[in-house]
């Protein structure tokens, strides 16, 4: 808990869309500082894995906690998550906190992306914690409340594929389809249809990024949302001058996640995602690989057409 939280900004337009416009100033401070859990909610930090700069590793919400889900007046379901609220089981050596400046930056960029018509997670509030956060220097601490259709990532599939049972994977795939792609729930092969829909969503997303000069900066598989929303605004930026080799991550020495390489990386990430579905597509592994490869091979033509 934080002793002296302060509201920096509250997105009243988003709150209205979510059906949360009734919240009082005290409730905004209590809930979105993490000082109080909404009645009936069971907050969780989510486990996932992922390929970071091409290398597989076990991950999880190191500084984020999912407060719960909100059903809007239009009957849409959203995750509400606090980012920067302290240590979790996945924090490793980190303190689980965030700087106020970085949370304000995510607020500004995610809302800019939304109003540019680009699918994105959104920001509901920024709270100053009243504590100091120690990085390269001393910063004010901050908490961002992030809103998403879900926080299910390619890396979530990687976690289930590698560390859970085949039955778990079936249950999980059914959950994702029911939540995000119910139109394919009765398909002959829902897993293969899921892959194709996710691929199209990702292609559309990357083309949207490219048209406005946006560089994500850390396109690790754990930063790719299966619902096709921009997520995890880290060292991201909009280019001021056109240069396909532009990078915005200080550790991206080889330009893996440069502006011009984003289409290639989403293709690579989709191959990783495809691999997680192989056990479910067919009982015959060779048949599964053949079917998913046929879908993945459509990437270039689909990308060109949408581009």
């Amino acid at each position: 808990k934080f002793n002296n939280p302060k509201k920096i900004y509250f997105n009243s337009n988003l709150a209205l869309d979510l059906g949360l416009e009734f919240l009082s100033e005290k409730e905004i401070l209590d809930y979105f500082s993490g000082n109080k859990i909404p009645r009936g909610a069971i907050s969780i930090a989510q486990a996932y894995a992922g390929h970071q700069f091409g290398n597989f590793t076990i991950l999880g919400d190191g500084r984020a906690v999912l407060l719960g889900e909100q059903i809007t007046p239009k009957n849409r379901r959203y995750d509400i998550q606090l980012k920067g609220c302290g240590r979790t089981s996945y924090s490793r050596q980190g303190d689980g906190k965030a700087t106020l400046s970085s949370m304000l930056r995510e607020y500004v960029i995610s809302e800019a992306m939304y109003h540019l018509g680009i699918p994105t997670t959104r920001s509901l509030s920024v709270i100053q914690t009243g504590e100091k956060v120690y990085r390269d220097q001393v910063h004010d601490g901050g908490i961002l409340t992030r809103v998403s259709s879900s926080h299910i990532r390619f890396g979530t599939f990687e976690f289930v594929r590698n560390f859970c049972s085949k039955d778990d994977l079936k249950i999980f795939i059914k959950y994702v389809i029911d939540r995000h792609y119910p139109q394919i729930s009765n398909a002959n092969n829902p897993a293969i249809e899921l892959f194709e829909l996710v691929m199209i969503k990702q292609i559309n997303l990357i083309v949207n990024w490219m048209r406005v000069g946006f560089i994500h900066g850390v396109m690790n598989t754990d930063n790719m949302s299966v619902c096709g929303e921009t997520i995890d605004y880290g060292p991201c930026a909009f280019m001021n001058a056109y240069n396909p080799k532009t990078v915005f991550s200080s550790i991206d020495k080889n330009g893996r996640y440069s502006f011009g390489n984003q289409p290639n990386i989403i293709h690579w990430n989709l191959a990783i995602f495809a691999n997680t579905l192989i056990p479910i597509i067919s009982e015959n592994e060779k048949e599964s690989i053949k079917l998913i490869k046929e879908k993945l091979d459509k990437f270039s033509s689909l990308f060109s057409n949408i581009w």
Side-chain angles (χ1 to χ4, degrees):
K1 290 191 174 183
F2 298 101
N3 293 327
N4 191 31
K6 177 185 175 185
K7 186 183 82 173
I8 299 298
Y9 199 79
F10 183 69
N11 190 337
S12 54
N13 289 328
L14 177 55
L16 184 63
D17 291 343
L18 291 169
L20 295 174
E21 71 281 2
F22 61 85
L23 291 174
S24 67
E25 289 291 306
K26 185 176 187 309
E27 286 173 320
I28 290 169
L29 265 183
D30 283 346
Y31 293 145
F32 303 135
S33 67
N35 280 356
K36 186 177 180 181
I37 303 296
R39 189 176 61 203
I42 302 172
S43 60
I44 59 168
Q46 295 183 94
Y48 45 88
H51 279 76
Q52 298 198 319
F53 290 88
N55 300 305
F56 181 77
T57 185
I58 301 173
L59 300 158
D61 288 334
R63 60 171 181 170
V65 170
L66 183 64
L67 274 185
E69 298 170 354
Q70 172 72 3
I71 308 296
T72 72
K74 293 183 178 179
N75 203 35
R76 294 191 64 188
R77 182 185 301 270
Y78 287 95
D79 282 1
I80 296 184
Q81 185 190 67
L82 301 183
K83 184 174 179 179
C85 56
R87 286 183 57 80
T88 75
S89 301
Y90 310 106
S91 297
R92 290 173 285 184
Q93 304 304 313
D95 59 13
K97 296 176 181 177
T99 65
L100 177 62
S101 58
S102 63
M103 296 300 92
L104 283 167
R105 188 174 187 273
E106 177 159 344
Y107 187 107
V108 169
I109 295 180
S110 62
E111 285 301 289
M113 294 285 274
Y114 173 75
H115 289 283
L116 285 165
I118 299 172
T120 179
T121 55
R122 295 190 65 188
S123 300
L124 181 59
S125 75
V126 178
I127 302 291
Q128 184 172 345
T129 64
E131 288 189 0
K132 297 299 181 182
V133 174
Y134 299 88
R135 296 293 183 262
D136 53 329
Q137 52 188 317
V138 182
H139 301 266
D140 290 325
I143 294 177
L144 177 85
T145 301
R146 182 162 70 185
V147 176
S148 175
S149 296
S150 84
H151 287 82
I152 300 167
R153 309 148 184 271
F154 286 16
T156 322
F157 277 80
E158 289 183 83
F159 185 91
V160 179
R161 170 74 163 90
N162 284 279
F163 304 109
C164 302
S165 69
K166 184 176 177 179
D167 284 343
D168 290 331
L169 184 58
K170 284 180 179 177
I171 292 165
F172 179 59
I173 289 171
K174 183 180 187 307
Y175 175 81
V176 172
I177 289 172
D178 289 346
R179 179 158 181 169
H180 292 301
Y181 302 101
Q183 67 271 31
I184 62 168
S185 57
N186 294 318
N188 290 333
N189 195 328
I192 201 85
E193 297 297 326
L194 172 66
F195 176 78
E196 185 163 40
L197 289 177
V198 169
M199 178 167 67
I200 291 167
K201 285 250 187 183
Q202 294 297 330
I203 290 172
N204 276 296
L205 182 64
I206 302 309
V207 169
N208 266 310
W209 288 358
M210 305 286 278
R211 74 177 171 84
V212 299
F214 177 76
I215 306 171
H216 186 279
V218 276
M219 288 177 65
N220 298 324
T221 56
D222 56 292
N223 293 338
M224 299 287 105
S225 162
V226 295
C227 60
E229 294 176 347
T230 312
I231 192 170
D232 287 330
Y233 290 90
C236 60
F238 294 92
M239 281 194 303
N240 292 322
Y242 181 77
N243 181 351
K245 295 182 180 179
T246 306
V247 296
F248 275 97
S249 172
S250 60
I251 61 173
D252 191 3
K253 303 298 184 186
N254 298 315
R256 178 181 175 89
Y257 298 142
S258 64
F259 175 78
N261 206 37
Q262 291 179 131
N264 295 328
I265 289 298
I266 199 58
H267 189 197
W268 192 92
N269 287 347
L270 283 162
I272 298 297
F273 176 58
N275 185 61
T276 69
L277 302 173
I278 286 171
I280 307 302
I281 292 169
S282 171
E283 293 296 325
N284 183 304
E285 186 175 302
K286 286 185 178 179
E287 178 70 10
S288 280
I289 293 170
K290 176 178 175 287
L291 290 171
I292 200 80
K293 188 175 182 301
E294 286 173 358
K295 294 291 186 185
L296 188 60
D297 285 347
K298 293 180 180 179
F299 176 89
S300 295
S301 60
L302 284 169
F303 193 94
S304 295
N305 290 339
I306 293 169
W307 179 262

